């Protein structure tokens, strides 16, 4: 029997095609955001392999173990030990991260998108960095954002382990409606922006003059404002300012990192996304994002402005060749950027009044005061409008009121947070994730708004949110529907529904009236 070459060739093609298709089907298919996240992790590894000491001595994300996860999809233990309970080998068809890693499919533990510091994994603690896919859509350059975010947040875990005791004060208590304090803080920002521009223009004398004025304004403001202000800002500039410095430094260094010997095309393509970044514009834009109409809005006063302020102070310290990192790391309670600048620049106390007056005149303090007053009045009115809109939502109104001794809170949001009555009230119309937790109590809310009222002295809290679906209620392990409850005591309770889960192991009472569900314990 003669062989038919054409038939043999056709059969061979079919078999090869089947094998190729089978291999392709076996490969993990990622969403665009998952692919971006894995490229970022590989890029972070390459950056720290080459430049870790230039960022912060002892902080090396090419060696430190951290957990990165995408909620409900997978979790990765980056720079991991060889074996960890609950994790399996990193899949061979995943992109190469350039470092050892372990893989956990699906949801890991109770992680739903929040950041978790000192997070327990098997026998050790690390940071868990969660990135909901929807969050990345909020950014014009999601890969640049995510790269900086990983470097910034993992640095907080390093702070826990390597820094001294960082001063702390509760953010909600900050006097955001203090007109004079806000106006002077704006002048500080303008001085730092100008000093940054001068530094990148190589104008050292101007940098020193602008920093002398900054010190005079800062010292006067901290001495004349509520005593809470200096303690709070000192701690936050150390905690968040240094982390933002690490973020900015990492992004800028990665842009120009020599990768010519690297064969990983994923990391090379990631670097292309960074080429539009230029300094000082990249950091100046960060300042501008915290400025409204030539002043600082109340909601940017306690925290948001600290990020560019702290990072710029660090970069200017580098420019002046000041050895500041060891000082801030090992002497947190006594460290302030202003004190270090006084010593470095030789500023005399009798110069302070003249330098303050010069700065106020240069930036027109009268106009700043007028704008600040307007922004404060607008803020009060805006809160009232937002509260009315929040209260008018359809669906079930959930109110949970409780006392507590200690509780951990995690919040993630790119939406405006309204704070009133010096921190007693906080309203945010959209949290990506909001969670409260202690040994008896757990509450998680995703992609929803929440009103929060706190009595800091009595340690009592009420949270309010709306939902259009209650999926289940369990009181002492017995199931109930909403219409079966008018008022019932409980020793244990669990409620879950659209975008939320709540549980408490302890006695309390639940009541239902029309669409209001109230829980007290």
């Amino acid at each position: 029997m003669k062989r038919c070459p054409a038939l043999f060739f056709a059969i061979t093609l079919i078999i090869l095609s089947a094998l190729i298709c089978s291999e392709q089907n076996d490969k993990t298919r990622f969403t665009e955001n998952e692919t971006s996240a894995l490229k970022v992790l590989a890029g972070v590894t390459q950056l720290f392999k080459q430049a870790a000491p230039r960022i912060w001595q002892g902080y090396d994300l090419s060696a430190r173990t951290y957990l990165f996860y995408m909620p409900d999809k997978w979790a990765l233990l980056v720079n991991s030990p060889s074996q960890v309970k609950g994790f399996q080998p990193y899949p061979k068809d995943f992109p190469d991260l350039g470092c050892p890693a372990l893989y956990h499919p699906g949801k890991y533990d109770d992680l739903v998108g929040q950041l978790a510091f000192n997070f327990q994994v098997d026998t050790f603690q690390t940071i868990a960095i969660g990135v909901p896919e929807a969050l990345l859509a909020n950014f014009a350059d999601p890969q640049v954002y995510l790269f900086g975010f990983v470097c910034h947040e993992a640095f907080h875990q390093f702070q826990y382990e390597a820094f001294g005791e960082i001063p702390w004060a509760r953010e909600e208590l900050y006097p955001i409606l203090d007109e004079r304090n806000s106006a002077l803080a704006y002048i500080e920002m303008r001085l730092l922006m100008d000093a940054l521009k001068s530094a990148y223009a190589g104008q050292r004398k101007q940098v020193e003059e602008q920093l002398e004025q900054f010190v005079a304004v800062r010292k006067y403001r901290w001495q004349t404002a509520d005593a809470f202000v200096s303690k709070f800002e000192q701690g936050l500039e150390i905690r968040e300012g240094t982390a933002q410095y690490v973020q900015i430094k990492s992004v800028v260094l990665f842009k120009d990192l020599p990768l010519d010997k690297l064969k990983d095309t994923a990391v090379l393509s990631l670097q292309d996304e960074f080429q539009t970044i230029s300094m000082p514009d990249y950091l100046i834009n960060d300042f501008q994002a915290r400025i409204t109409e030539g002043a600082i809005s109340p909601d940017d006063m306690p925290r948001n402005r600290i990020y560019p302020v702290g990072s710029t102070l660090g970069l200017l310290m580098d420019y002046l060749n000041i050895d500041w990192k060891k000082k801030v790391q090992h002497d947190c309670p006594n460290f302030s950027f202003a004190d270090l600048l006084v010593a470095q620049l030789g500023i005399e106390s009798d110069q302070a009044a003249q330098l303050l007056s010069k700065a106020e005149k240069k930036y027109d303090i009268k106009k700043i005061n007028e704008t600040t007053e307007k922004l404060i009045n607008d803020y009060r009115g805006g809160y009232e409008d937002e509260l009315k809109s929040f209260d008018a939502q359809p669906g079930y109104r959930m109110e949970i009121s409780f006392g507590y001794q200690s509780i951990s809170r995690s919040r993630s949001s790119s939406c405006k947070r309204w704070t009133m009555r010096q921190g007693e009230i906080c309203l945010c119309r959209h949290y990506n994730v909001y969670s409260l937790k202690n040994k008896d109590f757990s509450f998680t809310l995703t992609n929803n708004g929440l009103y929060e009222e706190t009595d800091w002295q009595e340690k009592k809290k009420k949270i309010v949110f709306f939902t259009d679906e209650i999926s289940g209620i369990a009181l002492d392990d017995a199931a109930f529907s909403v219409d079966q409850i008018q008022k019932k005591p409980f020793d244990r309770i669990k409620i879950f529904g659209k975008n939320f889960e709540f549980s408490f192991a302890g006695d309390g009472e639940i009541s239902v009236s029309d669409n209001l569900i109230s829980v007290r314990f």
Side-chain angles (χ1 to χ4, degrees), residues 33 94 131 154 163 202 221 233 241 250 300 313 360 400 423 434 453 490 518 520:
N33 287 330
F94 274 35
V131 181
F163 275 45
R221 184 170 68 84
E233 291 187 11
S250 298
D300 285 317
L313 283 166
E360 289 186 331
I400 304 175
Y434 176 101
E453 191 170 315
F490 58 79
S518 178
R520 296 176 181 274

Side-chain angles (χ1 to χ4, degrees), residues 8 55 122 162 168 175 177 213 242 256 344 364 432 502:
F8 177 78
I55 299 168
D122 198 9
W168 181 86
L177 304 182
Q213 293 176 53
T242 58
D256 298 317
Q344 176 70 23
D364 194 350
N432 301 314
F502 156 66

Side-chain angles (χ1 to χ4, degrees), residues 44-117:
V44 168
T45 299
Q46 288 302 322
L47 169 68
F48 280 85
K49 279 183 176 180
Q50 296 190 43
R54 296 174 63 188
I55 299 168
W56 198 286
Q57 195 70 39
Y59 177 61
D60 184 357
L61 288 184
S62 68
R64 289 180 62 84
T65 300
Y66 64 96
L67 190 152
F68 181 92
Y69 71 99
M70 300 202 80
D72 299 321
K73 291 199 166 185
W74 44 259
L76 298 180
L77 206 53
V78 185
N79 300 311
S80 62
S82 58
Q83 290 184 333
V84 175
K85 184 179 179 181
F87 286 81
Q88 59 194 51
Y90 186 74
K92 293 181 179 179
D93 62 332
F94 274 35
D96 181 13
L97 299 183
C99 64
L102 293 175
Y103 169 73
H104 177 90
K107 181 179 180 182
Y108 182 74
D109 202 78
D110 63 350
L111 297 175
V112 293
Q114 76 274 33
L115 285 166
F117 299 101

Side-chain angles (χ1 to χ4, degrees), residues 472-480 485 490 492-496 504:
I473 301 176
L475 305 177
D476 303 331
D477 300 325
F480 291 86
I485 301 172
F490 58 79
R492 292 181 306 282
I493 185 172
K494 183 175 183 179
I495 307 177
F496 60 97
F504 174 63

Side-chain angles (χ1 to χ4, degrees), residues 159-175:
Q159 288 174 332
Y160 279 115
E161 300 165 8
F163 275 45
E165 184 178 352
I166 300 175
W168 181 86
R170 192 175 297 283
E171 178 182 336
E172 288 87 349
L173 301 181
Y174 193 94

Side-chain angles (χ1 to χ4, degrees), residues 174-210:
Y174 193 94
I176 63 173
L177 304 182
D178 183 331
E179 180 184 317
R180 178 66 170 159
N181 182 56
S182 298
L184 291 173
Y186 172 72
I187 291 179
E188 289 178 15
M189 291 176 71
R190 289 293 304 274
L191 284 163
L192 290 178
M193 292 166 71
D194 288 345
L196 190 66
K197 293 174 185 176
S198 297
Y200 275 86
Q203 300 168 336
R204 184 183 177 101
K205 183 178 179 182
Q206 285 90 329
V207 171
E208 292 179 348
E209 289 175 355
Q210 287 149 347

Side-chain angles (χ1 to χ4, degrees), residues 451-467:
Y451 170 95
E452 186 175 8
E453 191 170 315
T454 307
D455 184 329
W456 302 107
Q457 296 296 323
E458 298 294 325
K459 289 188 174 293
K460 294 180 179 178
K461 186 181 287 287
K462 179 171 79 171
I463 54 176
V464 181
F465 63 97
F466 286 80
T467 181

